[in-house]
Amino acid sequence: MENKFIVGIDVSKLVLDAVLIITDERDNIHHIQVSNETKGLSELLKWLKKFKDFDLNSTLFCMEHTGLYNYPLLTFLSHHECRIWLENPVQIKKSLGIQRGKNDKIDAKRIALYALKNMDESKLWTPAREEVNKIKHLTALRERLVESKKRLMVPVEEFKQCGDKAMARMLEKSMSHAMKGIDKDIEQTEKKIKEVIDSDDHLKKLFKLVSSVVGVGFVSAINLLIYTNEFTLFDDSKSFACYCGIAPFEHRSGSSVRGRTKVSHMANKKMKTLLHMGSLTAVKYDAELKQYYERKIEEGKNKMSVLNAIRNKLVHRIFAVVKRGLVYVKKNIENELVLS
């Protein structure tokens, strides 16, 4: 369908900045700011309808993925059957290169220009299923509980490091009930996540496939399901590796400039960390990857570069088992795919 109208939206907690570009009048930029609530969203739609020949069916709405703040807008646009492009912020920043100045209006304009430039490659967003939303919010709750536990332990560890063990013991004793309560809440939250997965055949199968890869534990598996929207948002392992910031890029210009191969710092840091932890586990428990790691280290390769290569191998294995519908089984040094 032809995109006659492009709407780039910068989303924040309280307000939305929207920029409209009419493809036949590309130099004419229109801007509006509305509240990020039902009333403001209605104002946005009313404003758009003032433009000559405006039609939702020929309009592409583009915005960055900003998590919870997107929810009211996505719900509203979905209700009106709008075409939505939810793009990774990293992709937009990389595409536009170095930009001068920053405010909400400028950001909305950049999003609109990105959509205009790349609309032929747009991938329309589809809402996550209710089951995926459930595990998403439960996982966020679990992360907050884990973080709360870590924060409570900070002063205890500090006193231990300073040698004041008596003070550390006193603090631990004082918050023992709170810590037990948090542990119980974490356990119950994980139990609820498992119940949601087990109650849905598709999620249950995907979870089984993904967690069969050595190095992919419970937390990594559920985050993979969430961030890939059940492996519908990424076409292959390479695109997901780029999203996680682990895909190596060669730094070369002409015949004289030859820098080290590097990875992008713009990435989903959470998935990058989970994959790093997974690579450490895989090196320990997967004979093939352990052998690969030791061989590369003996060759003088940088430790982190080798671990990053293993992270990429894990991503490749994850997407392979999902694509083929086969669990991953390691057998001595050789690993093979078998029917699930």
Side-chain angles (χ1 to χ4, degrees):
M1 185 175 291
E2 185 181 358
N3 297 310
K4 295 182 179 179
F5 303 90
I6 304 293
V7 181
I9 304 178
D10 181 71
V11 181
S12 64
K13 182 178 181 180
L14 299 177
V15 299
L16 303 174
D17 279 85
V19 163
L20 170 67
I21 298 178
I22 303 172
T23 55
D24 293 336
E25 306 171 15
R26 300 191 177 197
D27 295 330
N28 201 357
I29 305 294
H30 308 275
H31 169 259
I32 189 175
Q33 185 180 84
V34 298
S35 59
N36 192 5
E37 57 183 358
T38 304
K39 181 180 178 181
L41 295 169
S42 297
E43 290 176 8
L44 172 62
L45 186 57
K46 190 175 180 180
W47 175 74
L48 290 170
K49 289 181 177 179
K50 290 181 180 179
F51 291 91
K52 184 180 178 181
D53 299 326
F54 179 81
D55 180 15
L56 282 176
N57 293 325
S58 57
T59 303
L60 177 64
F61 292 85
C62 184
M63 67 201 76
E64 295 178 339
H65 196 309
T66 55
L68 192 61
Y69 299 155
N70 281 119
Y71 185 75
L73 178 59
L74 291 174
T75 303
F76 181 84
L77 294 177
S78 297
H79 177 73
H80 287 83
E81 299 182 347
C82 298
R83 294 184 301 126
I84 306 165
W85 185 5
L86 194 61
E87 183 59 279
N88 178 13
V90 174
Q91 192 64 32
I92 295 176
K93 290 176 182 177
K94 286 171 61 178
S95 173
L96 297 177
I98 298 175
Q99 300 287 320
R100 295 183 180 275
K102 178 175 175 61
N103 59 48
D104 295 337
K105 180 180 178 180
I106 291 175
D107 288 342
K109 180 180 176 182
R110 288 172 180 167
I111 294 170
L113 290 172
Y114 171 83
L116 179 65
K117 178 183 177 182
N118 301 280
M119 59 182 173
D120 291 339
E121 302 173 9
S122 63
K123 189 171 184 178
L124 297 184
W125 173 82
T126 54
R129 295 192 299 125
E130 183 63 26
E131 290 75 14
V132 178
N133 280 326
K134 285 181 181 178
I135 63 172
K136 177 181 179 180
H137 295 308
L138 286 168
T139 300
L141 172 60
R142 181 192 177 279
E143 289 173 358
R144 289 194 292 271
L145 289 169
V146 171
E147 187 60 31
S148 296
K149 185 176 178 180
K150 288 180 180 178
R151 289 182 180 180
L152 285 173
M153 287 300 297
V154 168
V156 175
E157 296 300 326
E158 289 177 345
F159 279 115
K160 284 182 179 179
Q161 291 175 4
C162 293
D164 195 341
K165 295 183 179 180
M167 183 62 74
R169 284 195 298 270
M170 184 190 76
L171 292 178
E172 280 187 296
K173 187 175 181 180
S174 298
M175 64 183 182
S176 60
H177 290 297
M179 295 294 280
K180 289 179 182 178
I182 293 175
D183 285 335
K184 185 176 180 180
D185 286 341
I186 292 173
E187 182 181 347
Q188 289 298 317
T189 303
E190 291 178 350
K191 182 179 178 181
K192 185 62 180 176
I193 293 172
K194 291 175 183 176
E195 288 175 356
V196 174
I197 292 174
D198 290 338
S199 66
D200 185 89
D201 290 339
H202 186 59
L203 277 176
K204 186 176 181 179
K205 181 179 180 180
L206 281 178
F207 182 82
K208 180 181 179 181
L209 291 170
V210 171
S211 57
S212 69
V213 177
V214 180
V216 179
F218 174 76
V219 176
S220 296
I222 57 179
N223 276 282
L224 281 163
L225 294 177
I226 292 168
Y227 285 110
T228 64
N229 192 16
E230 300 179 273
F231 289 86
T232 62
L233 295 180
F234 300 91
D235 296 325
D236 51 43
S237 59
K238 185 176 180 180
S239 59
F240 186 69
C242 291
Y243 169 73
C244 296
I246 63 172
F249 293 94
E250 187 178 42
H251 180 65
R252 176 181 296 186
S253 178
S255 59
S256 58
V257 180
R258 297 174 183 269
R260 288 190 306 150
T261 299
K262 299 179 180 180
V263 297
S264 173
H265 293 291
M266 298 186 291
N268 183 321
K269 298 295 195 300
K270 184 190 297 183
M271 278 309 314
K272 187 174 184 178
T273 299
L274 289 172
L275 288 169
H276 177 70
M277 299 304 294
S279 68
L280 295 175
T281 301
V283 166
K284 187 175 181 180
Y285 294 105
D286 186 286
E288 181 185 7
L289 293 180
K290 181 180 180 180
Q291 188 180 73
Y292 171 84
Y293 175 81
E294 291 175 347
R295 185 176 74 253
K296 291 298 181 180
I297 295 299
E298 288 177 1
E299 292 174 0
K301 300 294 184 181
N302 178 272
K303 178 180 178 180
M304 291 306 298
S305 294
V306 179
L307 286 174
N308 189 67
I310 292 174
R311 286 187 290 194
N312 278 276
K313 288 179 180 290
L314 289 182
V315 170
H316 178 75
R317 289 180 178 183
I318 290 165
F319 274 75
V321 298
V322 171
K323 182 178 180 180
R324 301 174 190 177
L326 308 168
V327 295
Y328 195 87
V329 178
K330 68 185 184 71
K331 186 177 180 181
N332 296 326
I333 298 300
E334 295 184 356
N335 292 275
E336 60 185 5
L337 293 167
V338 299
L339 289 174
S340 58

